[in-house]
Amino acid sequence: MYGKFWGAAALGLALASAGWAEEQAELIGDVNAGAEVFEYCMGCHEVGQGAENGIGPHLNGIFGRTAGTIEGFKYSKGLIREGRLGMTWQLENLDAYLENPKALVSDTRMSFDGLEEPKERADVLAYLRQFSDNPQNIPEAAPTARKHEVELPPEILAIVGDPEYGEYLSTECTTCHQTDGEYDGIPAIIAWAEDDFVVAMHAYKRKIRPHPVMQMMAGRLSDEEIAALAAYFGGLE
Amino acid sequence: MKLNRRAFIGTGAAAAAALSAPHVRAASHGKPRVVVIGGGAGGATAARYIAKDSKGEIDVTLIEPTRMYYTCFFSNLYIGGFRELSSIGHSYGKLASDYGINVVHDWATGVDRDAKTVTLAGGAVLPYDRLILSPGIDFVDGAVPGWDVTAQNKMPHAYKAGSQSELLKAQLEAMPEGGTFAMIAPPNPYRCPPGPYERVSMVAHLLKAKNPTAKILIVDPKPKFSKQGLFEDGWNRHYGGMIERIGPDFGGDKVSVDPDAMTVTIDGAVEKVDVCNVIPAMKAGRICEIAGINEGNWAPVSGHTMQSRVDENIHVLGDATNQGDMPKSGFSANSQAKVAAMAVRGALTGSKVFPAKFSNTCWSLIDTDDGVKVGATYEATDEKIAKVDGFISQVGEDAELRQRTYEESVGWYAGITSDMFG
């Protein structure tokens, strides 16, 4: 049955070892190095046996969990929103979140600048991965192979947006998103770092972020148009 | 000049009209002049964007008869008890004070396309370089036999928000126990395709709480309607047995009313009703007919610029247009206004013009925290505004997503009204 979904090699791997979950975790990064990276997180987050919510929610079972859903923890509106829209934590979006929390969830309360180094993110995710089981252990579930939320080639991030064009394009956004930064049920999008804006829009364009209106709006924007919007909104205060 | 303008806005309609002609001529000396007729989602947005983006290079006058504008969108939520009427009322103060727009509260009664002037009911004659018509809809005479606008107090349409919405809500609240509310739904095309069915949902919500044995009867000339599956699923879940719809297969297209007797006659069968909401067939707001730019009931436009196909100095927005694939909605009008504003600025001041893009999303509320939506993106082709991509809410979505969709619509309302009125 596994073979229906996976190649023979994956099938072999799945059957080869009782410690399969560990092996998958190893594929993500170095668990021991990740334990050290996790020291950045420990001020707010607990993980492992007996872990409880602190300043941040505990991280047991984070893989495969719907965002913003641990009972008894008071989440930001942003995480609750993403959860309602169906975002579950997977390797891709956890990686993006750790790289820059506000680029993925603009109004998260997690005040963490992000881990710039891909290896550090991989390692800490490998470490956290040990404390989650389903669905990542199941071959039919989302693949555990390492993947970025959106792998943007440097040339896309390097595009210099034309703010005048961005201002025109922005008129499509401002029917819903208020330019004074008010939040009334639809997030504010002004004054974002341009790279964050670009990554977020490409994540919608590729349907990695779940919102159907945003997938549709971003879906027809070219790389240049996304850069133009990022330049325009980035300049608003 | 600023002082004049403020004083001018503060005066009564008659005085305003008397002053407006000389004022506009003097103020616009040497500047290109844009006159916008209609201060709704299309007109207010266009006036604001032209004034804002031209940074004083274009003189903008907005003609709107009402001082307090009630949005049609969300007026159903007022009927259902989810909004106060005051929360959907907007004044034009900011457009005047923050954007320098000449806001004139008067009716436009004439358009001279050769002289390029607009005449107001108060007698003023306003010259324009570009005219933007965004008058919304009027009703087709005789569309529902037995009904005309003189009967609108007995059988309200409530399809222009404000006092009509208040009247309908008051009638519903005063309805006898176990009474019947009838809606005569309009044929295509009409303003806000899901609007009548969202209204039925809101009426049902109101009656379920206050008058649970009441009945709702929809008399519909159309075989199918917008978001039908979503509405019917919602009606079953929330208002089981309360709502009956008679489509054209059972005579829904052969209806007449008697407002004095409070009866509705469907294919010869007379029904006594307690409250009757007549939403007749629609046509472009009358000023389009007066300007002579209609073909049939609507004003055809080019999607590239929203220019009338009859007169290139006139742009038409929103419900009044025949443009192609976009539904007649406030969101569409707002989207079209931005394309028109860019085209008008480009023509009058040489500013950059980019390819037209349009979008629309229509949210509807079925019951408390049960919101649905449908939307699409569009582009201009030489023939029409053509749909590119779209989506619609699904039957069976979980309650949290539906709640989130409703909350999103509240956010959209705040967004679009600040986009229109500043």
Side-chain angles (χ1 to χ4, degrees), chain A residues 30-46:
Chain A
D30 178 341
V31 172
N32 293 329
E36 283 183 34
V37 177
F38 189 70
E39 288 176 7
Y40 290 122
C41 320
M42 283 167 69
C44 300
H45 292 284
E46 293 182 23

Side-chain angles (χ1 to χ4, degrees), chain B residues 37-353:
Chain B
I37 298 178
T45 305
R48 179 170 164 267
Y49 272 80
I50 293 170
K52 172 171 79 76
D53 295 338
S54 71
K55 299 180 174 64
E57 279 185 54
I58 297 177
D59 194 86
V60 183
T61 299
L62 176 63
I63 315 293
E64 163 60 43
T66 64
R67 281 160 190 279
M68 182 63 77
Y69 180 85
Y70 291 95
T71 58
C72 241
F73 42 95
F74 272 36
S75 65
N76 285 330
L77 272 60
Y78 158 70
I79 290 170
F82 291 89
R83 298 286 284 218
E84 293 295 323
L85 191 63
S86 59
S87 80
I88 61 166
H90 303 269
S91 76
Y92 294 90
K94 271 196 185 168
L95 291 185
S97 64
D98 296 5
Y99 299 94
I101 296 166
N102 269 315
V103 181
V104 179
H105 294 298
D106 199 350
W107 286 93
T109 54
V111 174
D112 184 333
R113 293 204 271 117
D114 296 325
K116 295 208 281 183
T117 58
V118 172
T119 305
L120 305 184
V125 178
L126 311 181
Y128 65 79
D129 294 298
R130 286 291 168 109
L131 175 62
I132 297 179
L133 297 182
S134 189
I137 51 103
D138 271 310
F139 300 117
V140 174
D141 291 337
V144 177
W147 191 94
D148 62 35
V149 285
T150 63
Q152 70 176 9
N153 283 359
K154 287 179 178 142
M155 292 188 170
H157 54 78
Y159 232 64
K160 297 176 184 183
S163 57
Q164 276 279 300
S165 320
E166 275 184 298
L167 180 65
L168 180 60
K169 186 172 165 77
Q171 290 181 353
L172 287 162
E173 284 173 340
M175 205 164 95
E177 199 181 316
T180 298
F181 164 76
M183 169 187 282
I184 315 298
N188 290 320
Y190 61 96
R191 159 181 286 181
C192 189
Y197 309 97
E198 181 188 56
R199 174 168 297 169
V200 162
S201 309
M202 292 295 93
V203 169
H205 174 82
L206 187 76
L207 293 177
K208 189 179 169 185
K210 298 189 182 223
N211 190 348
T213 55
K215 293 283 175 207
I216 296 175
L217 178 66
I218 310 168
V219 185
D220 203 332
K222 304 181 293 300
K224 56 191 172 82
F225 61 88
S226 170
K227 299 182 192 165
Q228 183 163 0
L230 292 164
F231 278 115
E232 289 179 344
D233 164 70
W235 294 344
N236 277 335
R237 282 186 291 112
H238 300 295
Y239 315 115
M242 190 182 239
I243 301 166
E244 185 190 352
R245 177 172 169 270
I246 297 176
D249 42 348
F250 290 96
D253 55 343
K254 298 179 194 70
V255 67
S256 64
V257 297
D258 183 338
D260 292 318
M262 283 305 287
T263 57
V264 175
T265 304
I266 305 158
D267 203 11
V270 181
E271 296 276 341
K272 180 88 179 80
V273 300
D274 297 287
V275 177
C276 189
N277 177 202
V278 177
I279 310 175
M282 297 174 201
K283 61 180 182 180
R286 189 156 152 64
I287 195 71
C288 290
E289 226 169 300
I290 292 169
I293 57 164
N294 277 2
E295 274 173 22
N297 284 336
W298 309 100
V301 293
S302 153
H304 296 296
T305 57
M306 301 308 292
Q307 273 164 304
S308 161
R309 299 243 188 226
V310 178
D311 185 334
E312 63 177 15
N313 295 314
I314 300 180
H315 301 247
V316 195
L317 304 176
D319 296 350
T321 59
N322 174 5
Q323 34 69 22
D325 296 348
M326 295 184 81
K328 297 185 187 299
S329 73
F331 198 127
S332 292
N334 169 270
S335 176
Q336 293 161 11
K338 292 160 184 175
V339 169
M342 176 183 60
V344 166
R345 284 198 303 120
L348 298 182
T349 67
S351 65
K352 241 192 217 173
V353 175

